[in-house]
Amino acid sequence: MKKLPRLLLTGLASLLALMALVGGLLAYFLYTPEPELPRLSGTLSKATMAVAGGQRSYRLYVPKDLPPRAPLVLVLHGSGEGPQAVRRGTGYGFDRLADQHGFAVVYPKSFGFDWNDCSTIGDTAVNGVRADDVGFLAALVARLVGELGVDPQRVFAAGVSNGGSMALRLALQDPQRYRAVAAALTNVPAPQNFQCPTVGTTPSTMLVNGTEDPLVPYAGGEINLLGLFYQGGRVLSSPASAQYLADRNAIAGGPQVSLTPTAQGARVEHHRWQAAGGRTEVELVTLHGAGHGLPQPWARRPRLLGPSPMEPDGPALIWAFFERQPK
């Protein structure tokens, strides 16, 4: 009878040690320090709007002395995230660029856990209702064109992960509204996983993907994490996704290829398809050795999502793509 407390204490100690080990592993693979909030010139506001009988929300960053008919950039968050998460996850990079180059940035919030993108798989409904996210974003653009006086011919959409998938849907389904889109950490859904109606050609489109992405496979296949979490359906490879977009725009011939080394030794490979006349282009940016995160020098992604290089500056790369598009 006297041995029972000792056995209980030994078991409790073992359980506590196991819990500490699991907690340490979770912290190691999931924790990342938040980037320091930069000094910004403008104001960040939060607003809602009624769309199709429901309330949708967004955050808006407007730099000081925004010029008339400035560009507007939509930045779309990933699954289960929101406006603040994508601002932090990109190191506030788009806000910094807005200050430097004089454009407005809006961070919309998805209706469900996921954006209602082109994949047939995703948690896009709330109480059995699926949102028309294409319609919501169109209404949001119209509101900001009226309120801020931004240029309707210089509206751009960028997204990361599931937000990147939503940006692809905008390119395919609402191409006249967006001068260009950038889709990071995503690929075009495979035919059996594709639900989007498509309308003719697309605007200029950039894909930004890492070769070591453990969630969205660069080489194509099933979207999942470690084979256990977040089943997202099958996607094309990154090169096949870019070729699909080039084919939709009837861009003949192969891409121009260039390689950019970084100070940290990472390799950044560019494949660029250019339409005759130069108005529409498709670019695939391959981040060799990178995981599921948009690189930038201010914030790392969790280790669970693969290697997290600090170069190149992903938001700046995307803005340079947007900025060079002719009206």
mmCIF file of all heavy atoms in Angstrom, residues 124-170:
data_model
loop_
_atom_site.group_PDB
_atom_site.id
_atom_site.type_symbol
_atom_site.label_atom_id
_atom_site.label_comp_id
_atom_site.label_asym_id
_atom_site.label_seq_id
_atom_site.Cartn_x
_atom_site.Cartn_y
_atom_site.Cartn_z
ATOM 1 N N THR A 124 -16.037 27.067 -46.844
ATOM 2 C CA THR A 124 -16.410 28.409 -47.311
ATOM 3 C C THR A 124 -17.784 28.859 -46.831
ATOM 4 O O THR A 124 -18.175 29.999 -47.099
ATOM 5 C CB THR A 124 -16.403 28.453 -48.847
ATOM 6 O OG1 THR A 124 -17.382 27.529 -49.345
ATOM 7 C CG2 THR A 124 -15.038 28.077 -49.399
ATOM 8 N N ALA A 125 -18.523 27.992 -46.131
ATOM 9 C CA ALA A 125 -19.901 28.302 -45.747
ATOM 10 C C ALA A 125 -19.998 28.672 -44.266
ATOM 11 O O ALA A 125 -19.212 28.210 -43.436
ATOM 12 C CB ALA A 125 -20.817 27.127 -46.046
ATOM 13 N N VAL A 126 -20.973 29.505 -43.953
ATOM 14 C CA VAL A 126 -21.331 29.836 -42.575
ATOM 15 C C VAL A 126 -22.830 29.612 -42.440
ATOM 16 O O VAL A 126 -23.623 30.192 -43.182
ATOM 17 C CB VAL A 126 -20.973 31.295 -42.234
ATOM 18 C CG1 VAL A 126 -21.458 31.637 -40.827
ATOM 19 C CG2 VAL A 126 -19.469 31.525 -42.349
ATOM 20 N N ASN A 127 -23.209 28.719 -41.526
ATOM 21 C CA ASN A 127 -24.618 28.356 -41.345
ATOM 22 C C ASN A 127 -25.263 27.918 -42.657
ATOM 23 O O ASN A 127 -26.405 28.262 -42.967
ATOM 24 C CB ASN A 127 -25.396 29.534 -40.746
ATOM 25 C CG ASN A 127 -24.917 29.901 -39.359
ATOM 26 O OD1 ASN A 127 -24.508 29.032 -38.580
ATOM 27 N ND2 ASN A 127 -24.940 31.190 -39.045
ATOM 28 N N GLY A 128 -24.492 27.159 -43.438
ATOM 29 C CA GLY A 128 -25.006 26.611 -44.688
ATOM 30 C C GLY A 128 -25.025 27.571 -45.860
ATOM 31 O O GLY A 128 -25.458 27.207 -46.951
ATOM 32 N N VAL A 129 -24.548 28.796 -45.658
ATOM 33 C CA VAL A 129 -24.559 29.805 -46.723
ATOM 34 C C VAL A 129 -23.139 30.015 -47.231
ATOM 35 O O VAL A 129 -22.224 30.295 -46.437
ATOM 36 C CB VAL A 129 -25.129 31.144 -46.210
ATOM 37 C CG1 VAL A 129 -25.080 32.198 -47.309
ATOM 38 C CG2 VAL A 129 -26.557 30.944 -45.725
ATOM 39 N N ARG A 130 -22.961 29.899 -48.545
ATOM 40 C CA ARG A 130 -21.655 30.159 -49.156
ATOM 41 C C ARG A 130 -21.642 31.580 -49.704
ATOM 42 O O ARG A 130 -22.588 32.031 -50.334
ATOM 43 C CB ARG A 130 -21.358 29.162 -50.279
ATOM 44 C CG ARG A 130 -21.215 27.733 -49.817
ATOM 45 C CD ARG A 130 -20.795 26.839 -50.970
ATOM 46 N NE ARG A 130 -19.396 27.030 -51.323
ATOM 47 C CZ ARG A 130 -18.837 26.515 -52.411
ATOM 48 N NH1 ARG A 130 -19.572 25.834 -53.276
ATOM 49 N NH2 ARG A 130 -17.559 26.702 -52.654
ATOM 50 N N ALA A 131 -20.546 32.253 -49.475
ATOM 51 C CA ALA A 131 -20.441 33.645 -49.894
ATOM 52 C C ALA A 131 -20.081 33.762 -51.367
ATOM 53 O O ALA A 131 -19.399 32.907 -51.926
ATOM 54 C CB ALA A 131 -19.384 34.353 -49.068
ATOM 55 N N ASP A 132 -20.538 34.841 -51.967
ATOM 56 C CA ASP A 132 -20.070 35.237 -53.288
ATOM 57 C C ASP A 132 -18.896 36.183 -53.064
ATOM 58 O O ASP A 132 -19.059 37.408 -53.021
ATOM 59 C CB ASP A 132 -21.202 35.917 -54.064
ATOM 60 C CG ASP A 132 -20.736 36.472 -55.407
ATOM 61 O OD1 ASP A 132 -19.594 36.172 -55.823
ATOM 62 O OD2 ASP A 132 -21.514 37.217 -56.029
ATOM 63 N N ASP A 133 -17.696 35.624 -52.899
ATOM 64 C CA ASP A 133 -16.543 36.462 -52.598
ATOM 65 C C ASP A 133 -16.122 37.311 -53.782
ATOM 66 O O ASP A 133 -15.599 38.412 -53.602
ATOM 67 C CB ASP A 133 -15.379 35.590 -52.120
ATOM 68 C CG ASP A 133 -15.554 35.126 -50.677
ATOM 69 O OD1 ASP A 133 -16.148 35.878 -49.882
ATOM 70 O OD2 ASP A 133 -15.111 34.018 -50.349
ATOM 71 N N VAL A 134 -16.354 36.817 -55.001
ATOM 72 C CA VAL A 134 -16.066 37.633 -56.179
ATOM 73 C C VAL A 134 -16.933 38.889 -56.157
ATOM 74 O O VAL A 134 -16.463 40.009 -56.395
ATOM 75 C CB VAL A 134 -16.284 36.836 -57.474
ATOM 76 C CG1 VAL A 134 -16.143 37.738 -58.704
ATOM 77 C CG2 VAL A 134 -15.295 35.673 -57.572
ATOM 78 N N GLY A 135 -18.220 38.712 -55.833
ATOM 79 C CA GLY A 135 -19.137 39.852 -55.755
ATOM 80 C C GLY A 135 -18.789 40.801 -54.633
ATOM 81 O O GLY A 135 -18.872 42.028 -54.789
ATOM 82 N N PHE A 136 -18.413 40.252 -53.469
ATOM 83 C CA PHE A 136 -18.018 41.101 -52.347
ATOM 84 C C PHE A 136 -16.819 41.970 -52.702
ATOM 85 O O PHE A 136 -16.806 43.188 -52.461
ATOM 86 C CB PHE A 136 -17.694 40.236 -51.128
ATOM 87 C CG PHE A 136 -16.847 40.911 -50.080
ATOM 88 C CD1 PHE A 136 -17.194 42.143 -49.551
ATOM 89 C CD2 PHE A 136 -15.684 40.296 -49.611
ATOM 90 C CE1 PHE A 136 -16.401 42.760 -48.581
ATOM 91 C CE2 PHE A 136 -14.894 40.898 -48.655
ATOM 92 C CZ PHE A 136 -15.247 42.142 -48.140
ATOM 93 N N LEU A 137 -15.803 41.370 -53.303
ATOM 94 C CA LEU A 137 -14.597 42.129 -53.627
ATOM 95 C C LEU A 137 -14.867 43.157 -54.718
ATOM 96 O O LEU A 137 -14.294 44.256 -54.700
ATOM 97 C CB LEU A 137 -13.472 41.168 -54.020
ATOM 98 C CG LEU A 137 -13.036 40.227 -52.884
ATOM 99 C CD1 LEU A 137 -12.026 39.206 -53.385
ATOM 100 C CD2 LEU A 137 -12.473 40.998 -51.700
ATOM 101 N N ALA A 138 -15.758 42.837 -55.662
ATOM 102 C CA ALA A 138 -16.138 43.818 -56.679
ATOM 103 C C ALA A 138 -16.841 45.016 -56.033
ATOM 104 O O ALA A 138 -16.569 46.180 -56.373
ATOM 105 C CB ALA A 138 -17.047 43.175 -57.716
ATOM 106 N N ALA A 139 -17.755 44.748 -55.081
ATOM 107 C CA ALA A 139 -18.451 45.827 -54.391
ATOM 108 C C ALA A 139 -17.480 46.654 -53.548
ATOM 109 O O ALA A 139 -17.614 47.885 -53.449
ATOM 110 C CB ALA A 139 -19.558 45.252 -53.513
ATOM 111 N N LEU A 140 -16.502 46.002 -52.940
ATOM 112 C CA LEU A 140 -15.501 46.702 -52.139
ATOM 113 C C LEU A 140 -14.663 47.628 -53.017
ATOM 114 O O LEU A 140 -14.406 48.790 -52.656
ATOM 115 C CB LEU A 140 -14.615 45.687 -51.425
ATOM 116 C CG LEU A 140 -13.461 46.241 -50.586
ATOM 117 C CD1 LEU A 140 -13.964 47.195 -49.509
ATOM 118 C CD2 LEU A 140 -12.660 45.098 -49.961
ATOM 119 N N VAL A 141 -14.237 47.137 -54.175
ATOM 120 C CA VAL A 141 -13.472 47.977 -55.101
ATOM 121 C C VAL A 141 -14.293 49.195 -55.510
ATOM 122 O O VAL A 141 -13.808 50.328 -55.510
ATOM 123 C CB VAL A 141 -13.034 47.167 -56.338
ATOM 124 C CG1 VAL A 141 -12.502 48.085 -57.437
ATOM 125 C CG2 VAL A 141 -11.977 46.136 -55.954
ATOM 126 N N ALA A 142 -15.567 48.963 -55.853
ATOM 127 C CA ALA A 142 -16.427 50.081 -56.268
ATOM 128 C C ALA A 142 -16.565 51.104 -55.155
ATOM 129 O O ALA A 142 -16.538 52.321 -55.395
ATOM 130 C CB ALA A 142 -17.801 49.552 -56.683
ATOM 131 N N ARG A 143 -16.717 50.635 -53.906
ATOM 132 C CA ARG A 143 -16.836 51.571 -52.783
ATOM 133 C C ARG A 143 -15.575 52.422 -52.644
ATOM 134 O O ARG A 143 -15.648 53.642 -52.478
ATOM 135 C CB ARG A 143 -17.088 50.805 -51.486
ATOM 136 C CG ARG A 143 -16.911 51.676 -50.252
ATOM 137 C CD ARG A 143 -17.049 50.902 -48.947
ATOM 138 N NE ARG A 143 -18.440 50.929 -48.488
ATOM 139 C CZ ARG A 143 -18.820 50.691 -47.234
ATOM 140 N NH1 ARG A 143 -17.904 50.392 -46.312
ATOM 141 N NH2 ARG A 143 -20.084 50.721 -46.886
ATOM 142 N N LEU A 144 -14.397 51.795 -52.735
ATOM 143 C CA LEU A 144 -13.158 52.529 -52.512
ATOM 144 C C LEU A 144 -12.817 53.444 -53.686
ATOM 145 O O LEU A 144 -12.207 54.504 -53.484
ATOM 146 C CB LEU A 144 -12.020 51.545 -52.224
ATOM 147 C CG LEU A 144 -12.211 50.719 -50.935
ATOM 148 C CD1 LEU A 144 -11.061 49.750 -50.749
ATOM 149 C CD2 LEU A 144 -12.356 51.625 -49.728
ATOM 150 N N VAL A 145 -13.211 53.056 -54.884
ATOM 151 C CA VAL A 145 -13.049 53.964 -56.024
ATOM 152 C C VAL A 145 -13.847 55.241 -55.775
ATOM 153 O O VAL A 145 -13.380 56.366 -56.007
ATOM 154 C CB VAL A 145 -13.488 53.290 -57.337
ATOM 155 C CG1 VAL A 145 -13.613 54.321 -58.464
ATOM 156 C CG2 VAL A 145 -12.481 52.212 -57.743
ATOM 157 N N GLY A 146 -15.076 55.091 -55.240
ATOM 158 C CA GLY A 146 -15.913 56.248 -54.959
ATOM 159 C C GLY A 146 -15.439 57.054 -53.765
ATOM 160 O O GLY A 146 -15.421 58.286 -53.805
ATOM 161 N N GLU A 147 -15.016 56.374 -52.689
ATOM 162 C CA GLU A 147 -14.648 57.081 -51.464
ATOM 163 C C GLU A 147 -13.252 57.694 -51.516
ATOM 164 O O GLU A 147 -13.031 58.789 -50.996
ATOM 165 C CB GLU A 147 -14.733 56.124 -50.271
ATOM 166 C CG GLU A 147 -16.153 55.712 -49.911
ATOM 167 C CD GLU A 147 -16.212 54.794 -48.715
ATOM 168 O OE1 GLU A 147 -15.137 54.333 -48.245
ATOM 169 O OE2 GLU A 147 -17.327 54.525 -48.235
ATOM 170 N N LEU A 148 -12.295 56.976 -52.114
ATOM 171 C CA LEU A 148 -10.910 57.434 -52.094
ATOM 172 C C LEU A 148 -10.479 58.108 -53.392
ATOM 173 O O LEU A 148 -9.450 58.786 -53.419
ATOM 174 C CB LEU A 148 -9.962 56.255 -51.822
ATOM 175 C CG LEU A 148 -10.114 55.510 -50.493
ATOM 176 C CD1 LEU A 148 -9.113 54.368 -50.433
ATOM 177 C CD2 LEU A 148 -9.921 56.457 -49.321
ATOM 178 N N GLY A 149 -11.244 57.886 -54.461
ATOM 179 C CA GLY A 149 -10.832 58.414 -55.744
ATOM 180 C C GLY A 149 -9.655 57.664 -56.359
ATOM 181 O O GLY A 149 -8.899 58.228 -57.161
ATOM 182 N N VAL A 150 -9.472 56.378 -55.983
ATOM 183 C CA VAL A 150 -8.403 55.588 -56.592
ATOM 184 C C VAL A 150 -8.741 55.306 -58.052
ATOM 185 O O VAL A 150 -9.899 55.398 -58.475
ATOM 186 C CB VAL A 150 -8.165 54.270 -55.820
ATOM 187 C CG1 VAL A 150 -7.603 54.547 -54.444
ATOM 188 C CG2 VAL A 150 -9.447 53.450 -55.707
ATOM 189 N N ASP A 151 -7.719 54.949 -58.808
ATOM 190 C CA ASP A 151 -7.852 54.751 -60.248
ATOM 191 C C ASP A 151 -8.469 53.380 -60.531
ATOM 192 O O ASP A 151 -7.858 52.351 -60.217
ATOM 193 C CB ASP A 151 -6.473 54.852 -60.902
ATOM 194 C CG ASP A 151 -6.530 54.839 -62.425
ATOM 195 O OD1 ASP A 151 -7.597 54.538 -62.990
ATOM 196 O OD2 ASP A 151 -5.481 55.123 -63.048
ATOM 197 N N PRO A 152 -9.656 53.301 -61.127
ATOM 198 C CA PRO A 152 -10.263 51.994 -61.406
ATOM 199 C C PRO A 152 -9.486 51.177 -62.433
ATOM 200 O O PRO A 152 -9.707 49.972 -62.551
ATOM 201 C CB PRO A 152 -11.658 52.360 -61.932
ATOM 202 C CG PRO A 152 -11.546 53.759 -62.416
ATOM 203 C CD PRO A 152 -10.527 54.423 -61.535
ATOM 204 N N GLN A 153 -8.586 51.833 -63.169
ATOM 205 C CA GLN A 153 -7.746 51.096 -64.123
ATOM 206 C C GLN A 153 -6.454 50.579 -63.488
ATOM 207 O O GLN A 153 -5.669 49.908 -64.158
ATOM 208 C CB GLN A 153 -7.390 51.997 -65.307
ATOM 209 C CG GLN A 153 -8.581 52.433 -66.144
ATOM 210 C CD GLN A 153 -8.142 53.195 -67.373
ATOM 211 O OE1 GLN A 153 -7.256 52.767 -68.111
ATOM 212 N NE2 GLN A 153 -8.741 54.354 -67.591
ATOM 213 N N ARG A 154 -6.248 50.908 -62.211
ATOM 214 C CA ARG A 154 -5.024 50.458 -61.528
ATOM 215 C C ARG A 154 -5.389 49.762 -60.221
ATOM 216 O O ARG A 154 -4.882 50.074 -59.147
ATOM 217 C CB ARG A 154 -4.103 51.656 -61.253
ATOM 218 C CG ARG A 154 -3.665 52.412 -62.493
ATOM 219 C CD ARG A 154 -2.641 51.642 -63.312
ATOM 220 N NE ARG A 154 -1.325 51.679 -62.687
ATOM 221 C CZ ARG A 154 -0.302 50.932 -63.095
ATOM 222 N NH1 ARG A 154 -0.457 50.061 -64.088
ATOM 223 N NH2 ARG A 154 0.866 51.017 -62.504
ATOM 224 N N VAL A 155 -6.284 48.787 -60.341
ATOM 225 C CA VAL A 155 -6.690 47.975 -59.197
ATOM 226 C C VAL A 155 -5.983 46.626 -59.303
ATOM 227 O O VAL A 155 -6.041 45.968 -60.353
ATOM 228 C CB VAL A 155 -8.214 47.782 -59.154
ATOM 229 C CG1 VAL A 155 -8.610 46.865 -57.990
ATOM 230 C CG2 VAL A 155 -8.916 49.125 -59.040
ATOM 231 N N PHE A 156 -5.320 46.214 -58.249
ATOM 232 C CA PHE A 156 -4.524 44.992 -58.236
ATOM 233 C C PHE A 156 -4.963 44.111 -57.063
ATOM 234 O O PHE A 156 -5.443 44.613 -56.046
ATOM 235 C CB PHE A 156 -3.041 45.314 -58.089
ATOM 236 C CG PHE A 156 -2.518 46.275 -59.132
ATOM 237 C CD1 PHE A 156 -2.365 47.623 -58.823
ATOM 238 C CD2 PHE A 156 -2.194 45.843 -60.397
ATOM 239 C CE1 PHE A 156 -1.886 48.517 -59.775
ATOM 240 C CE2 PHE A 156 -1.716 46.732 -61.355
ATOM 241 C CZ PHE A 156 -1.556 48.063 -61.045
ATOM 242 N N ALA A 157 -4.786 42.817 -57.216
ATOM 243 C CA ALA A 157 -5.122 41.882 -56.135
ATOM 244 C C ALA A 157 -3.952 40.947 -55.910
ATOM 245 O O ALA A 157 -3.415 40.364 -56.853
ATOM 246 C CB ALA A 157 -6.369 41.080 -56.479
ATOM 247 N N ALA A 158 -3.552 40.825 -54.641
ATOM 248 C CA ALA A 158 -2.492 39.900 -54.252
ATOM 249 C C ALA A 158 -3.018 39.031 -53.118
ATOM 250 O O ALA A 158 -3.814 39.482 -52.290
ATOM 251 C CB ALA A 158 -1.250 40.662 -53.792
ATOM 252 N N GLY A 159 -2.580 37.786 -53.074
ATOM 253 C CA GLY A 159 -3.022 36.903 -52.002
ATOM 254 C C GLY A 159 -1.971 35.865 -51.691
ATOM 255 O O GLY A 159 -1.133 35.533 -52.541
ATOM 256 N N VAL A 160 -2.004 35.364 -50.461
ATOM 257 C CA VAL A 160 -1.085 34.313 -50.037
ATOM 258 C C VAL A 160 -1.890 33.081 -49.655
ATOM 259 O O VAL A 160 -2.940 33.175 -49.032
ATOM 260 C CB VAL A 160 -0.199 34.774 -48.857
ATOM 261 C CG1 VAL A 160 0.725 35.897 -49.287
ATOM 262 C CG2 VAL A 160 -1.030 35.214 -47.664
ATOM 263 N N SER A 161 -1.391 31.918 -50.058
ATOM 264 C CA SER A 161 -2.010 30.642 -49.732
ATOM 265 C C SER A 161 -3.455 30.617 -50.267
ATOM 266 O O SER A 161 -3.676 30.845 -51.455
ATOM 267 C CB SER A 161 -1.934 30.386 -48.231
ATOM 268 O OG SER A 161 -2.235 29.052 -47.912
ATOM 269 N N ASN A 162 -4.447 30.392 -49.406
ATOM 270 C CA ASN A 162 -5.832 30.396 -49.871
ATOM 271 C C ASN A 162 -6.229 31.750 -50.445
ATOM 272 O O ASN A 162 -7.035 31.841 -51.376
ATOM 273 C CB ASN A 162 -6.750 30.009 -48.710
ATOM 274 C CG ASN A 162 -8.218 30.063 -49.055
ATOM 275 O OD1 ASN A 162 -8.962 30.814 -48.436
ATOM 276 N ND2 ASN A 162 -8.663 29.281 -50.027
ATOM 277 N N GLY A 163 -5.634 32.833 -49.932
ATOM 278 C CA GLY A 163 -5.850 34.150 -50.523
ATOM 279 C C GLY A 163 -5.281 34.237 -51.927
ATOM 280 O O GLY A 163 -5.833 34.923 -52.792
ATOM 281 N N GLY A 164 -4.159 33.553 -52.165
ATOM 282 C CA GLY A 164 -3.625 33.479 -53.515
ATOM 283 C C GLY A 164 -4.559 32.733 -54.449
ATOM 284 O O GLY A 164 -4.733 33.108 -55.620
ATOM 285 N N SER A 165 -5.179 31.680 -53.928
ATOM 286 C CA SER A 165 -6.160 30.941 -54.734
ATOM 287 C C SER A 165 -7.350 31.833 -55.086
ATOM 288 O O SER A 165 -7.894 31.758 -56.192
ATOM 289 C CB SER A 165 -6.649 29.708 -53.960
ATOM 290 O OG SER A 165 -5.579 28.834 -53.684
ATOM 291 N N MET A 166 -7.757 32.690 -54.133
ATOM 292 C CA MET A 166 -8.853 33.614 -54.419
ATOM 293 C C MET A 166 -8.432 34.643 -55.455
ATOM 294 O O MET A 166 -9.228 35.030 -56.326
ATOM 295 C CB MET A 166 -9.293 34.300 -53.120
ATOM 296 C CG MET A 166 -10.564 35.151 -53.282
ATOM 297 S SD MET A 166 -12.005 34.148 -53.728
ATOM 298 C CE MET A 166 -12.875 35.289 -54.805
ATOM 299 N N ALA A 167 -7.186 35.101 -55.399
ATOM 300 C CA ALA A 167 -6.691 36.034 -56.408
ATOM 301 C C ALA A 167 -6.737 35.395 -57.801
ATOM 302 O O ALA A 167 -7.076 36.061 -58.792
ATOM 303 C CB ALA A 167 -5.267 36.480 -56.059
ATOM 304 N N LEU A 168 -6.428 34.111 -57.878
ATOM 305 C CA LEU A 168 -6.529 33.414 -59.163
ATOM 306 C C LEU A 168 -7.973 33.389 -59.652
ATOM 307 O O LEU A 168 -8.234 33.538 -60.850
ATOM 308 C CB LEU A 168 -5.996 31.983 -59.039
ATOM 309 C CG LEU A 168 -4.484 31.808 -59.009
ATOM 310 C CD1 LEU A 168 -4.122 30.340 -58.845
ATOM 311 C CD2 LEU A 168 -3.847 32.360 -60.289
ATOM 312 N N ARG A 169 -8.922 33.198 -58.729
ATOM 313 C CA ARG A 169 -10.326 33.213 -59.156
ATOM 314 C C ARG A 169 -10.706 34.579 -59.719
ATOM 315 O O ARG A 169 -11.448 34.670 -60.709
ATOM 316 C CB ARG A 169 -11.254 32.845 -58.001
ATOM 317 C CG ARG A 169 -12.721 32.869 -58.416
ATOM 318 C CD ARG A 169 -13.656 32.127 -57.497
ATOM 319 N NE ARG A 169 -14.936 31.908 -58.176
ATOM 320 C CZ ARG A 169 -15.870 31.069 -57.778
ATOM 321 N NH1 ARG A 169 -15.683 30.335 -56.688
ATOM 322 N NH2 ARG A 169 -16.993 30.932 -58.451
ATOM 323 N N LEU A 170 -10.214 35.645 -59.115
ATOM 324 C CA LEU A 170 -10.499 36.984 -59.638
ATOM 325 C C LEU A 170 -9.942 37.144 -61.050
ATOM 326 O O LEU A 170 -10.586 37.736 -61.915
ATOM 327 C CB LEU A 170 -9.917 38.042 -58.705
ATOM 328 C CG LEU A 170 -10.472 38.085 -57.285
ATOM 329 C CD1 LEU A 170 -9.749 39.149 -56.471
ATOM 330 C CD2 LEU A 170 -11.976 38.318 -57.277
#
